[in-house]
Amino acid sequence: MLAAQAVSQSASDPMSGLRVGERDAPTAREGWQVVDLRAAALNHHDVWSLRGVGLPADRLPMVLGCDGAGVTADGEEVIVHAVIASDGWAGDETLDPRRTLLSELHDGTLAEQVAVPVGNVVPKPAGLSWETAACLSTAWLTAYRMLFTNAGVRPGDTVLVQGAGGGVATALVQLGAAAGIRMWVTSRDEARGARAVEIGADRAFAAGERLPERVDAVMETVGAATWSHSVNSLNPGGTIVISGATSGDAPAKAELTKIFFKQLRVVGSTMGTRDELAALARFVDRSGIEPVVDSVVPLERAQEGFARMVDGELFGKVVFTVG
């Protein structure tokens, strides 16, 4: 089958380790099934794997990819859930200390087929295109859990998203706007901020800019560079939900005094559950959301999509079509 694989790793030249070509198709061991993929999507996780972060070199070659949608052997159209719990785990799979994502221990979705546990698929609503369905499993699921499970916000509240343009940020804006939440964004790039407003944000601000009023929650994926701004932007009793730290995880000021004095909540958030993915798919379908897609290319041209991500040219998702 055709697949996009990490065959080597380089922190400075991640593209050097990407190979798109033929490899053996997966087989379904007991309790697993094979999904024939129709579309898959790219995440920063895939580039980090090529840089040598989170994927041990002794597991190479590894098929990359966490996002995907396709058809099971019995003809069911499904979305793949990328969080793989360890054997015997029961309950919220995101709390399993031994959990992995597809492409960390088991081959991922940037291929014509992928093998997953039988419980790691959810029905694809008939109204969703393959391209939309393929966007949901990672960045969109992360955004859904951040906003609706961990932030504690309601329609009419105001939420600040630190950093516009990335997959999680665009998903947060679109999901929040569809749910009646006033979404504000920050960006170092005025054009990216304007794009965020086009897809549903109420306002866009420069990075670090003083806001006209405090917000009920902040969605934080940037980390050290925006941490103080996030703390200072919150109403008393507000919540910071953090799912990443692309600028580093050690801010110069932890702002602990402000956190306890204002009784702020800081909530860590990682991916989401199978049930949350199913709920996300239904919400996207019923609300008519169309995820922002930067580009759609066939899997055999996967290097083009990776190059756009490595070069920082993206706004929204890169989707690969299969077959």
Side-chain angles (χ1 to χ4, degrees), residues 88 111 124 161 190 201 292 318:
K124 181 183 82 67
V161 179
E190 186 175 348
V292 175
V318 170

Side-chain angles (χ1 to χ4, degrees), residues 143 146-147 151 158-177 181-188 192-193 196 199-208 211 215-223 226 229-230 233-234 239-241 243 315:
M146 290 176 75
L147 196 60
T158 302
V159 172
L160 176 66
V161 179
Q162 292 284 20
V168 174
T170 54
L172 283 164
V173 168
Q174 292 189 269
L175 289 169
I181 299 167
R182 183 170 66 166
M183 304 299 293
W184 288 353
V185 302
T186 65
S187 179
R188 293 176 298 175
R192 284 175 177 257
I199 65 171
D202 180 72
R203 293 186 65 177
F205 302 89
L211 305 182
V215 301
D216 301 294
V218 178
M219 305 292 103
E220 177 65 81
T221 63
V222 179
T226 54
H229 186 255
S230 293
S233 296
L234 278 170
T239 304
I240 298 175
V241 183
S243 69
F315 191 96

Side-chain angles (χ1 to χ4, degrees), residues 7-8 10-11 27 43 86 120 126 146 173 191 244 246 260 266 286:
V7 298
S8 64
S10 169
T27 56
N43 289 284
S86 59
N120 272 70
M146 290 176 75
V173 168
T246 56
F260 74 71
V266 178
R286 293 169 185 170

Side-chain angles (χ1 to χ4, degrees), residues 4-128:
Q5 302 177 79
V7 298
S8 64
Q9 295 167 315
S10 169
S12 60
D13 184 17
M15 293 294 294
S16 65
L18 177 65
R19 293 290 182 274
V20 181
E22 294 294 319
R23 66 161 289 153
D24 292 340
T27 56
R29 58 189 171 102
E30 184 178 357
W32 288 53
Q33 65 181 326
V34 173
V35 177
D36 292 320
L37 290 156
R38 295 292 182 266
L42 185 62
N43 289 284
H44 283 284
H45 181 274
D46 303 310
V47 174
W48 284 115
S49 295
L50 290 168
R51 293 187 187 277
V53 178
L55 175 62
D58 61 6
R59 295 180 186 168
L60 302 180
M62 176 68 73
V63 178
L64 298 169
C66 301
D67 289 348
V71 181
T72 64
D74 60 5
E76 183 183 9
E77 295 185 349
V78 297
I79 302 170
V80 174
H81 179 43
V83 183
I84 310 296
S86 59
D87 292 342
W89 178 264
D92 184 335
E93 57 271 31
T94 68
L95 299 179
D96 179 1
R98 298 173 57 203
R99 72 185 184 276
T100 59
L101 296 183
L102 286 174
S103 76
E104 292 179 346
L105 181 61
H106 307 287
D107 283 331
T109 56
L110 299 189
E112 293 179 315
Q113 293 183 315
V114 64
V116 295
V118 293
N120 272 70
V121 296
V122 302
K124 181 183 82 67
L128 295 187

